[in-house]
């Protein structure tokens, strides 16, 4: 038995057994190769079909079911493929078909097949069929397109052109997926038949090739093992190993070639890693630059927006009051007039001008004037209700309900005017809003407006025309007492032109000294002696004759000519007084009225200069100031009056009783005389209180050691009443109207008043 099992036999048996095992192994190998071949043929064929032109790309992109069914049938015509389906790139089933030709066959879930695989990979998953339970190999193949379906999928022609143009470009985009079901049971049946044929063939050759196979196995088993491991490492992505073989056989050459491939792959992988790092760094750098540029751009946009808003504010809004200016007012009012004309509605324009505003600037300075304008703007805005506005047609940035046209001129626009009276109600509110005194730089000031109202389209249908009519109405409001409003009427037509002509003539008259002085005597109520005269300016107009001051003095104040006119009046009065005394005429004093716009620091210097220039002795000059002038700033007025008093002139309070004097301040002023306003003299006998008031003023003047003068005395009974109350001086038509200088000089010579007073008093007896 032992001899039977010799080394050779043992080797033979071993080799026989080994060959049998080898034959069996070869059979299994060939079967496996067959299986692999069948699998690869199915997969490669499917892949080839999935990449067979742009027709299927168009069908998937635009949902052509007929074409897709044809493609699915082509897959089913191949062996082993039992079902086929098409999915979108997002995994939504488009069409499915099985070998029976029926659509909607059983298809494995897309998410189970694809899993988390890369969208571009071909994925294989063995899953049981949901209906039969048989194992199926599910093959998922992506369908690529050289054109981006998200950019060119809307238009088929554009998509086709883009596919044709992009054929040679590298970028590809996934359009969808083919999912094929390979019946593994059919594959196994085909392999079983093949296994029998191969097994028998291998068994027949096994004995003949035993030794050869043993030798070959000995020579190639080890290198083949290394090659297998190397292949496994390569497939797993491990590229850090190399193939080690000795000799010069084919295996060695294959190993050397594989080592070269590994070296190239390692080098390529290294370069890719470096390139990826560089690319990441560049992306981060570019992202930082773009972020910085974006921040800079945002800042620039914000700056441009601020500049735009600032330019709009400067172009359309008043810098002092922040109200719309003339530019915005004109543009928006024109739009409003167009709307009013289209809708057949009316709008009203209220034109406001502050009375005696120049006096504030001249007496308190422009800073106080600016503060006053701001306060006026706030009050006017506060008393306009939403129902009066035009905001339903313009946004808040363009509203022109209250606008400042310039200087002390303001406008108010009322929209959808139902009747004229509504504009009057608003005007009353505006007047009331300014009645309350304002505290400006410590001074209590009351400013009044004159308001002109024009209605479109009744009075005018253009911006220029409406402004002109409202301005004309405002001028009439000023000439009729100020602090009121007037509606424009056809009777006012032409007054605007007349006013312009009058302004031009007044300026010329002052420059050419076409003014003259008239004098009204001031008579001692007891003796009839002429104690002085009030110098009253008249305009000797070449066409209209003598024009009285109530017509041109307010105009001169508005035009800024009152200072020049007042200086001329003072100079002429002083010259005339000296001339009368040089002729031997007795005139104890001459009184000159001082406008509120004159009374400032420069006025004191001007009085001193006139006295020096004319040689007038100060005691012969009396200056008459109204209560409003003195009380506008009591502290500064006290200082100014003291300076005038130091010059030696006399000071008189004109129109006493019509203002708002405080007796405590009045007692501190260095005054010499109180002139009772003519309105009290005229109304003394109309009520008991009127007479008592006149008596109280006279008694107060005497208690302050002031000379009391009653002006406007025209009748004997007025004189007798005032004389009985102890009045000191009488001035009025009872004795004389204001007379030119020559006539007044004759009056000084004759002086008929002592005899006239005796006759008046005798008539009383």
């Amino acid at each position: 038995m032992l001899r039977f099992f010799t080394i050779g036999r043992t080797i033979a048996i071993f080799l026989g057994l080994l060959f049998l095992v080898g034959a069996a192994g070869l059979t299994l190998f060939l079967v496996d190769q067959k299986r692999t071949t069948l699998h690869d043929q199915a997969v490669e064929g499917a892949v080839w079909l999935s990449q067979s032109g742009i027709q299927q790309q168009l069908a998937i992109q635009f949902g052509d079911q007929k074409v897709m069914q044809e493609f699915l049938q082509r897959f089913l015509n191949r062996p082993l493929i039992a079902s086929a389906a098409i999915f979108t790139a997002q995994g939504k089933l488009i069409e499915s078909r099985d070998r029976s030709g029926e659509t909607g066959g059983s298809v494995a879930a897309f998410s189970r097949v694809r899993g988390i695989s890369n969208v571009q990979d071909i994925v294989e998953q063995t899953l049981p069929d949901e209906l039969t339970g048989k194992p199926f190999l599910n093959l998922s193949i992506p369908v690529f397109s050289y054109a981006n379906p998200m950019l060119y999928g809307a238009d088929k022609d554009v998509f086709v052109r883009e596919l044709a143009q992009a054929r040679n470009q590298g970028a590809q985009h996934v359009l969808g997926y083919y999912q094929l079901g390979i019946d593994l049971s059919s594959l196994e049946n085909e392999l079983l038949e093949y296994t029998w044929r191969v097994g028998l063939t291998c068994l027949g050759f096994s004995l003949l090739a035993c030794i050869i196979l043993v030798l070959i196995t000995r020579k190639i088993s080890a290198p083949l093992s290394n090659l297998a491991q190397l292949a496994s490492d390569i497939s797993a992505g491990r590229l850090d190993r190399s193939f080690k073989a000795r000799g010069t056989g084919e295996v060695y050459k294959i190993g050397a070639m594989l080592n070269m491939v590994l070296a190239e792959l390692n080098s390529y992988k290294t370069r890719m890693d470096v390139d990826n790092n560089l690319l990441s760094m560049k992306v981060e750098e570019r992202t930082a630059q773009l972020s910085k540029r974006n921040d800079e751009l945002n800042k620039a946009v914000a700056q441009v927006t601020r500049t735009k808003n600032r330019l709009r504010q400067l172009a359309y809004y008043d810098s002092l009051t922040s109200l719309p200016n003339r530019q915005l007012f004109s543009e928006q009012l024109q739009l409003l007039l167009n709307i009013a004309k289209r809708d057949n509605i009316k709008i009203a324009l209220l034109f406001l001008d502050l009375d005696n505003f120049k006096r504030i600037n001249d007496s308190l300075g422009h800073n106080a004037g600016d503060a006053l304008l701001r306060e006026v703007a706030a009050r006017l805005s506060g008393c306009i209700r939403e129902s009066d506005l035009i905001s339903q047609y313009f946004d808040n940035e363009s509203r022109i309900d209250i606008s400042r046209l310039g200087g002390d001129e303001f406008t108010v626009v009322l929209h959808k005017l139902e009747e004229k009276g509504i504009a009057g109600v608003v005007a009353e509110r505006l007047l009331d809003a300014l009645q309350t005194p304002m505290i400006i730089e410590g001074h209590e000031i009351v400013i009044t407006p004159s308001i002109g109202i024009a209605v479109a389209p009744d009075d005018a249908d253009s911006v220029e025309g409406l402004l002109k009519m409202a301005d004309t109405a405002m001028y009439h409001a000023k000439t009729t007492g100020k602090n009121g409003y007037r509606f424009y009427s056809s009777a006012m037509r032409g007054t605007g032109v007349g006013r312009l002509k009058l302004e031009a003539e007044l300026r010329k008259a002052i420059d050419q000294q076409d003014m003259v002085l008239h004098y009204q005597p001031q008579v001692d109520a007891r003796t009839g002696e002429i104690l002085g005269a009030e110098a009253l300016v008249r305009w000797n107009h070449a066409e209209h004759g003598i024009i009285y001051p109530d017509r041109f003095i307010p105009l001169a104040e508005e035009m800024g000519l009152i200072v020049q006119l007042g200086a001329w009046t003072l100079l002429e009065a002083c010259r005339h007084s000296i001339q009368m005394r040089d002729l031997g005429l007795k005139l104890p004093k001459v009184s000159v009225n001082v406008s509120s716009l004159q009374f400032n620091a420069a006025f004191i210097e001007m009085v001193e200069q006139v006295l020096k220039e004319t040689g007038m002795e100060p005691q012969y000059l009396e200056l008459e100031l109204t209560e409003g002038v003195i009380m506008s700033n009591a502290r500064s007025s006290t200082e100014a009056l003291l300076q005038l008093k130091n010059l030696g002139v006399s000071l008189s309070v004109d129109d006493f009783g019509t203002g708002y004097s405080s007796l405590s301040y009045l007692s501190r002023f260095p005054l010499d005389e109180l002139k009772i306003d003519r309105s009290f003299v005229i109304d003394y006998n109309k009520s008991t209180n009127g007479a008592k008031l006149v008596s109280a003023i006279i008694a107060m003047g005497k208690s302050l050691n002031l000379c009391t003068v009653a002006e406007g005395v025209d009748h004997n009974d007025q004189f007798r009443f005032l004389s009985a109350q102890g009045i000191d001086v009488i001035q009025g038509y009872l004795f004389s109207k204001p007379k030119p200088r020559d006539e007044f000089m004759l009056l000084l010579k004759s002086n008929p008043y002592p005899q006239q007073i005796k006759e008046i008093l005798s008539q009383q007896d």
Side-chain angles (χ1 to χ4, degrees), residues 239-368:
L239 306 177
D240 53 347
R241 292 185 59 188
S242 61
F243 178 73
K244 297 179 180 180
R246 298 175 182 176
T248 59
E250 293 179 351
V251 173
Y252 176 81
K253 293 180 180 179
I254 294 173
M257 185 171 56
L258 287 177
N259 285 333
M260 292 175 60
V261 172
L262 283 173
E264 290 294 331
L265 288 175
N266 274 317
S267 176
Y268 178 75
K269 183 176 182 297
T270 302
R271 290 197 304 271
M272 289 298 295
D273 291 340
V274 173
D275 290 343
N276 286 335
N277 291 333
L278 291 176
L279 181 60
S280 298
M281 294 174 61
K282 289 182 179 179
V283 169
E284 292 177 359
E285 180 183 1
R286 187 58 177 168
T287 301
Q289 292 177 352
L290 290 175
S291 178
K292 182 179 179 181
R293 293 289 178 86
N294 189 51
D295 293 340
E296 293 175 353
L297 181 60
N298 290 336
K299 292 180 181 179
V301 170
Q303 180 65 30
V304 169
T305 302
R306 288 194 297 269
T307 303
K308 177 183 176 181
N309 294 336
R310 179 59 178 165
L311 291 176
R312 175 180 171 80
Q313 186 71 21
L314 293 174
Y316 287 108
Y317 291 90
D318 175 48
S319 59
L320 179 63
T321 63
S322 297
L323 293 176
N325 59 15
R326 180 181 289 271
Q327 180 68 25
L328 180 57
F329 166 81
S330 300
E331 292 180 5
Q332 298 294 63
L333 182 57
Q334 183 60 57
L335 291 176
L336 189 60
L337 288 173
N338 295 339
I339 294 172
K341 183 178 181 181
R342 182 195 66 193
D343 297 341
N344 195 24
I345 57 179
K346 296 182 179 182
I347 61 174
L349 174 63
L350 282 68
F351 190 93
L352 289 82
D353 186 88
L354 302 181
D355 301 328
N356 302 320
F357 174 73
K358 192 174 186 301
R359 180 184 66 184
I360 304 298
N361 278 339
D362 292 341
S363 58
L364 300 181
H366 289 282
N367 289 336

Side-chain angles (χ1 to χ4, degrees), residues 414-429:
L414 306 180
H415 183 252
K416 288 188 176 180
L417 197 67
E418 296 180 358
E419 57 180 13
K420 264 190 172 183
I422 295 177
V425 172
V426 176
E428 290 285 355
R429 288 210 307 266

Side-chain angles (χ1 to χ4, degrees), residues 491-643:
M492 299 178 183
R493 189 173 297 133
T495 55
V497 177
R499 183 187 180 189
L500 291 176
K501 181 179 179 182
L502 190 64
E503 289 178 356
E505 292 177 344
L506 177 60
R507 189 181 301 275
K508 182 178 179 182
I510 294 176
D511 291 339
Q512 297 181 355
Q513 297 184 359
D514 289 339
M515 301 293 173
V516 295
L517 291 182
H518 287 194
Y519 295 90
Q520 186 175 35
Q522 297 174 338
V523 180
D524 190 315
R526 292 178 294 276
T527 64
E529 181 183 359
I530 298 176
L531 299 179
E534 181 178 1
L536 301 169
V537 65
R538 300 289 188 267
W539 181 2
N540 188 14
H541 196 279
E543 181 179 351
H544 303 292
I546 296 298
I547 299 178
Y548 290 92
D550 58 343
R551 287 192 60 191
F552 66 84
I553 290 296
L555 189 59
E557 290 180 340
E558 292 181 21
M559 297 172 60
L561 300 174
I562 192 63
V563 174
Q564 182 180 352
L565 180 59
W568 177 88
T569 301
L570 180 62
L571 181 63
E572 285 298 296
C574 291
R575 286 177 178 173
H576 291 171
S577 177
I578 292 175
Q579 290 173 1
M580 293 178 193
R581 284 196 299 277
D582 289 345
L583 294 174
L585 300 176
K586 182 181 179 182
L587 182 62
K589 67 177 180 179
V590 61
S591 298
V592 178
N593 289 288
V594 179
S595 169
S596 60
L597 301 180
Q598 290 179 268
F599 192 62
N600 50 36
F603 175 74
I604 299 172
E605 298 179 1
M606 187 267 290
V607 172
E608 185 176 7
Q609 181 64 29
V610 168
L611 292 176
K612 290 181 181 180
E613 182 179 341
T614 60
M616 176 82 164
E617 297 181 15
Q619 64 270 21
Y620 294 124
L621 176 63
E622 182 178 68
L623 301 177
E624 296 187 7
L625 302 98
T626 63
E627 286 181 278
V629 174
I630 298 175
M631 294 302 299
S632 62
N633 189 344
R635 180 171 299 179
S636 61
S637 295
T638 301
E639 296 176 358
L641 293 174
L642 287 173
Q643 294 181 35

Side-chain angles (χ1 to χ4, degrees), residues 164-179:
Q165 294 175 2
R167 290 291 294 174
N168 296 323
Q169 297 181 6
Q172 295 190 33
H173 306 272
V174 177
L175 277 178
Y177 296 88
Y178 282 113
Q179 185 167 311

Side-chain angles (χ1 to χ4, degrees), residues 525 676-699 702 708 710-730 734-735 757 760-761 764:
I676 303 173
D677 187 71
R678 68 187 307 273
S679 61
F680 294 103
V681 176
I682 294 173
D683 297 337
Y684 87 94
N685 59 351
K686 293 183 179 180
S687 66
T688 304
N689 290 334
K692 290 181 179 179
L693 182 59
V694 173
S695 299
I697 294 175
I698 294 174
K702 289 185 176 297
T708 56
E711 60 179 347
V713 180
D714 300 334
H715 304 290
N716 292 342
D717 54 349
Q718 294 173 346
F719 173 80
R720 285 191 288 267
F721 168 75
L722 293 168
S723 179
Q725 303 305 316
I727 196 73
D728 296 319
V729 180
I730 298 294
L734 176 64
F735 295 127
I757 290 176
I760 294 173
L761 294 176
Q764 181 182 15

Side-chain angles (χ1 to χ4, degrees), residues 80 94 109 115 121 660:
L80 301 181
I94 301 176
D121 290 342
Y660 46 89

Side-chain angles (χ1 to χ4, degrees), residues 350 352 380 383-384 412 426-434 449 451:
L350 282 68
L352 289 82
L380 294 180
C383 69
I384 297 297
V412 177
V426 176
E428 290 285 355
R429 288 210 307 266
L430 297 176
L431 293 171
D432 293 341
L434 299 182
I451 305 175

Side-chain angles (χ1 to χ4, degrees), residues 400-414:
I400 57 168
D401 37 23
I402 299 290
S403 303
R404 182 188 178 210
L405 300 190
D408 59 339
E409 296 177 343
F410 296 85
T411 59
V412 177
V413 177
L414 306 180

